[in-house]
């Protein structure tokens, strides 16, 4: 049972345009959501997060939107840059002392010049 | 410079052999985690520990064992009981008691079977 799903394995975007990565979840107990960026042969790097009490969080070029009724979150990157090419994972947690994260399968983002 | 160090970067195991993956952190984090990543899949939780001398099973603990004798260290042993050990293994750490603090990851160990 996949509790966190990223239905697009890959996404290709023109440099300077907006990249939108999507993530759906099924567990209504999740109260904290994160996006990580990962380059090959490296560990994931934390990008941005959002608590379930908010519907939007912004950090520079990155904005995460949360729609609790639809159990959907999205990551917007604008403008997209070549260095943004990586695999992006969304993750969710129902915090119980330890932060047990459930990850989606990842979306490979390619920014074309 | 604080961070998480995983070693070795690449590891090869013979059939029937146990191997231990090292994870050390100097972030003063109480919680540590082990994940496994397979091609085209997300990370799956193997074990986690919130405090020294205590740890809990994650979603895929069978065939693995851990110890937490020191705050800084959380080694993972892949035993011969793990039938499909070839994967990319990632260690992470985080602060306990602050749900909005993200986990920080090491650069991983890639384990292959000879």
């Amino acid at each position: 049972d996949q509790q966190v799903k990223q239905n697009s394995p890959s996404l290709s975007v023109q440099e300077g345009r907006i990249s939108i990565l999507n993530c759906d979840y099924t567990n209504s107990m999740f109260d904290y959501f994160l996006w990580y960026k990962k380059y090959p042969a490296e560990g994931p790097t934390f990008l941005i997060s959002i608590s379930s009490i908010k519907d939007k969080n912004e950090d520079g070029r990155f904005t995460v939107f949360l729609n609790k009724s639809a159990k959907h979150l999205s990551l917007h990157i604008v403008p997209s840059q070549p260095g943004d090419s990586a695999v992006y994972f969304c993750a969710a947690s129902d915090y119980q002392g330890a932060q047990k994260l459930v990850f989606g399968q990842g979306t490979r983002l390619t920014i074309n010049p | 410079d604080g961070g998480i160090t995983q070693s070795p970067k690449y590891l090869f195991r013979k059939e029937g052999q146990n191997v231990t993956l090292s994870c050390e952190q100097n972030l003063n984090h109480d919680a540590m985690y082990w994940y496994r990543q397979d091609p085209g899949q997300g990370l799956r939780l193997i074990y986690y520990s919130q405090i020294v001398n205590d740890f809990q099973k994650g979603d895929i603990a069978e065939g693995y064992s851990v110890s937490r004798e020191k705050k800084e260290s959380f080694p993972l042993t892949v035993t011969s009981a793990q039938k499909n050990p070839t994967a990319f293994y990632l260690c992470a750490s985080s602060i306990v008691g602050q749900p909005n603090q993200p986990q920080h990851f090491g650069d991983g160990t890639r384990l292959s079977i000879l």
Side-chain angles (χ1 to χ4, degrees), chain B residues 88-113:
Chain B
F88 189 51
Y89 290 87
L90 287 156
C91 177
S93 69
S94 71
I95 297 170
V96 170
Q98 296 186 35
N100 61 340
Q101 293 297 314
Q103 291 182 20
H104 297 264
F105 284 83
D107 279 341
T109 292
R110 184 165 299 281
L111 175 63
S112 301
I113 301 305

Side-chain angles (χ1 to χ4, degrees), chain A residues 26-48:
Chain A
T26 57
N27 187 343
S28 57
M29 297 301 290
F30 287 146
D31 55 7
Y32 182 55
F33 304 88
L34 309 89
W35 284 94
Y36 282 87
K37 174 180 179 180
K38 186 180 181 302
Y39 294 116
E42 293 184 10
T45 302
F46 170 71
L47 207 51
I48 192 169

Side-chain angles (χ1 to χ4, degrees), chain B residues 41-103:
Chain B
Q41 296 190 34
L43 283 66
R44 291 182 290 166
L45 183 64
I46 304 172
Y47 268 99
Y48 66 101
S49 167
Q50 298 181 70
I51 196 169
V52 173
N53 293 322
D54 188 43
F55 47 83
Q56 285 79 40
K57 293 181 179 180
D59 300 320
I60 54 166
E62 186 175 349
Y64 300 97
S65 66
V66 293
S67 63
R68 187 88 186 276
E69 297 176 2
K70 297 187 301 181
K71 184 176 183 177
E72 303 78 20
S73 179
F74 192 39
L76 173 75
T77 296
V78 184
T79 74
S80 57
Q82 172 48 243
K83 296 306 176 191
N84 185 21
T86 297
F88 189 51
Y89 290 87
L90 287 156
C91 177
S93 69
S94 71
I95 297 170
V96 170
Q98 296 186 35
N100 61 340
Q101 293 297 314
Q103 291 182 20

Side-chain angles (χ1 to χ4, degrees), chain A residues 3 7-8 17 22 24 29 42-43 46 49 51 53-54 68-69 76 85 91 97-98 103 105:
Chain A
Q3 296 188 72
N7 291 317
S8 298
R17 299 288 190 118
N22 294 303
D24 296 297
M29 297 301 290
E42 293 184 10
F46 170 71
S49 64
S51 163
I53 63 172
K54 295 187 174 182
K68 287 189 291 293
S69 60
H76 293 211
S85 294
F103 283 82
Q105 310 95 305

